[in-house]
Amino acid sequence: MEKTLPRILRDVSARNPDVPAQYSRPDKKAPFEPVTFSQMFTAAKNFAAGLLSLGVVRGEKIGFISDDRKEWQQADLGILSIGACDVPRGCDASANDLKYILSFTEVKICIAENSSQAKKIISVKSEIPTLEKFISFDDFDDETIELCKKAGVEVLKFNDVVKAGIEFNEKNPEAVDAEIDKGEWDDIAGIIFTSGTTGTPKGVMLTHGNFITQLDELNERIYLFPGDKAVCVLPVWHVFQRLCEYVILNQAAALCYSKPMGSVLLPDIAELNPQILPAVPRVFEAVYEGIEKKMRRTGGIVEMMYKFFVRVAILHSRIKRRLLRQNFRTRYDFIVLSWITLIIPFILLTPFKALGNLLVFKKVRAMLGNAFRSGVAGGGAYSKVIDEYFWALGIKVVEGYGMTETAPVVAVRPIDAPVFSCIGTPIRGVSTRIVDMEGNILPRGKKGVLQVKGKTVMKGYYKRQDLTDKVLSSDGWLDTGDLAIEGVHGELKILGRVKDTIVLSGGENVEPLPIEAKIHESRFIATAVVVGQDQRNLGALILPNQEELELWAKENNIEFKDFEDLVKKPEAYKMINDQIQELVNAKNGFRMFEKIVKFAFLTKPFEVGRELSAKQEIMRYKLSELYAKEIKEIFKE
């Protein structure tokens, strides 16, 4: 019998019935409470039976608008148990997004986490004619219930559907297991709509097999043991978090629900003492920035010691990686020469590294508990500075890469054998190649477009064969649209997006991501976006770090009324410009045409649905319209 996701849960539950599968707080002040695998599987079966009692059939699409919580996984696995599939999105989705997604997939039943989600959907109900029922995790308020009644949408509580399922199972004790047994590897598990960084969202059809293919080797690269804990902070509708949760459950470890905010995450980690933290790079950047800020505020001898030991640790780690060949390389090197020249500096630095570990780094690592094995950074570009910092401090964070269309993992560094500044080799079941713009296969060490083939690749875009044909060849190669290069042992390094490439009027091609990543090293800059398509040189949109900029102004006796007034000061522009020029220059490996000649200040953070996609990626195609005035001013002669 082929594996499916509900069968995996059934098997894991049978082997580990009393092992915790989930930890969550019943309310913000309460301690974490466990749900065992037996309880979780029972809840999923009861919800599945409740759906059967409502007339849900195999292949039916169920809308699923909710943030991560224990009921999400129980409902998800219940839906999959009877051969239906979910169409998920988070609570930050706009009414327009929901209108498009739910109407396009013609859902009859939609899980809505709370009143807020139901109201958004009801506001566009006239354009979702198939919608008949809501299933709510939290009780709807009276106003929402009245709106649903007027719109002709029935409201059911999740717990009531589960109770109906219990009654259904008592009368039909074999029904859900029989449905689980009917499941096939190629059944669609979910239709996940891409966040639309290029405009129109596309519904990616992902099968049970797409997800399960990855569980084979990911169990080795990101390993857990029964009873281990992994903290969940990402939006679960996003394919990275969804796959992480299947990986965690498959190894009989527990999903622990938290939030990606330092004020919530760090206390939760202290209480849970987890082994794994999968998160977008921004979460690890926030941890880094929090430590740096704390040290700057402390000042004095403590800050001096911290800075000294960090520099020593980074240099020590660089030498060690060189000696042990743990750096990404595109060609073979002569390691004997490295040992001859570097072994003495390595030996001399080792006692200082040990002292830094005792006085500083041990305390930093303690913030993540005494059981922490690794962080997993995915869903965006992972900064080299952050990568090097955590590596030097002895905190393992491995970088992975994938996309919704590959469910999502293509490659990830193994926890026990990482190679710095890359995403590792492709996992088993996945093949990759690098091609030029004409589709010719390039040799190792040459930059080109990454293509992927294997059992993780999607079935296609829902109802959009035309779009599927644009990215998926007849022989199964998926064009990722990402620029990459292959290392000496097959490791991959992602260099940016093909469509992000800026072409200057002189014909120079510029990848903005490395420049932006370098600019972000300044503590005074919160967001930087490089612009300059068809211009003679590059410019940038800069959002300063308000707290740091205002502190700098006070220390330098610069008077200002508010933040808006401060960014108009010539002194502020000069200081930020000095920061940019110090970072983006030939000394740091940038070419002359990659220099930022002029920039414009922004004063409001980017927002999801405006400048950012739902997974917090910059939608560059929108910026030229939203900031037309600022961009025009940058390039004014």
Side-chain angles (χ1 to χ4, degrees), residues 178-424:
E179 291 295 334
I180 292 174
D181 290 339
K182 289 179 189 175
E184 296 183 1
W185 172 275
D186 210 32
D187 285 346
I188 296 175
I191 300 175
I192 301 177
F193 280 79
T194 59
S195 48
T197 55
T198 56
T200 306
K202 301 181 287 288
V204 179
M205 296 185 289
L206 297 176
T207 67
H208 290 253
N210 291 150
F211 289 115
I212 293 169
T213 296
Q214 301 164 78
L215 302 184
D216 174 26
E217 191 171 359
L218 287 181
N219 288 357
E220 300 168 14
R221 298 197 189 193
I222 313 295
Y223 58 89
L224 290 156
F225 302 103
D228 279 357
K229 303 184 188 80
V231 177
C232 302
V233 295
L234 299 174
V236 73
W237 71 267
H238 186 250
V239 69
F240 173 43
Q241 179 64 28
R242 186 163 177 170
L243 186 274
C244 284
E245 301 199 357
Y246 295 147
V247 171
I248 294 160
L249 293 174
N250 185 49
Q251 298 180 80
L255 309 168
C256 307
Y257 304 104
S258 183
K259 299 290 183 184
M261 300 176 290
S263 60
V264 177
L265 177 59
L266 291 177
D268 284 355
I269 286 176
E271 182 175 343
L272 291 162
N273 198 27
Q275 281 74 22
I276 299 290
L277 171 62
V280 292
R282 182 62 196 138
V283 171
F284 298 106
E285 289 169 14
V287 173
Y288 164 77
E289 289 165 1
I291 297 168
E292 290 279 298
K293 185 181 292 184
K294 183 177 180 181
M295 291 301 168
R296 286 196 300 273
R297 298 292 183 267
T298 304
I301 188 67
V302 174
E303 183 186 14
M304 289 173 62
M305 284 176 55
Y306 169 78
K307 286 183 175 180
F308 171 76
F309 284 123
V310 167
R311 288 194 192 103
V312 167
I314 288 173
L315 183 56
H316 184 271
S317 296
R318 286 176 180 172
I319 295 173
K320 187 176 180 180
R321 287 197 301 270
R322 176 70 176 161
L323 296 177
L324 299 182
R325 283 181 165 157
Q326 292 178 317
N327 287 323
F328 176 78
R329 297 172 294 140
T330 57
R331 58 187 178 185
Y332 293 97
D333 55 0
F334 189 56
I335 195 66
V336 174
L337 185 60
S338 295
W339 274 87
I340 292 170
T341 57
L342 296 175
I343 189 61
I344 292 176
F346 179 75
I347 292 170
L348 292 174
L349 286 170
T350 297
F352 292 100
K353 170 73 181 288
L355 185 60
N357 184 59
L358 184 66
L359 297 177
V360 180
F361 308 149
K362 190 175 180 181
K363 296 175 183 177
V364 174
R365 290 198 299 271
M367 294 169 61
L368 298 174
N370 59 26
F372 191 74
R373 191 170 298 135
S374 179
V376 184
Y382 185 47
S383 164
K384 184 178 178 180
V385 171
I386 309 299
D387 196 358
E388 190 157 55
Y389 175 82
F390 283 120
W391 190 301
L393 268 62
I395 298 172
K396 289 187 176 180
V397 180
V398 295
E399 184 182 10
Y401 163 81
M403 54 195 305
T404 307
E405 287 84 346
T406 57
V409 179
V410 172
V412 63
R413 296 185 217 167
I415 289 174
D416 288 341
V419 175
F420 180 73
S421 192
C422 74
I423 57 169

Side-chain angles (χ1 to χ4, degrees), residues 580-600:
I580 294 171
Q581 302 313 319
E582 180 65 25
L583 292 165
V584 183
N585 53 40
K587 181 179 66 176
N588 289 328
F590 293 97
R591 295 165 291 185
M592 281 298 296
F593 60 80
E594 291 176 315
K595 180 181 179 181
I596 303 298
V597 174
K598 194 176 177 184
F599 66 88

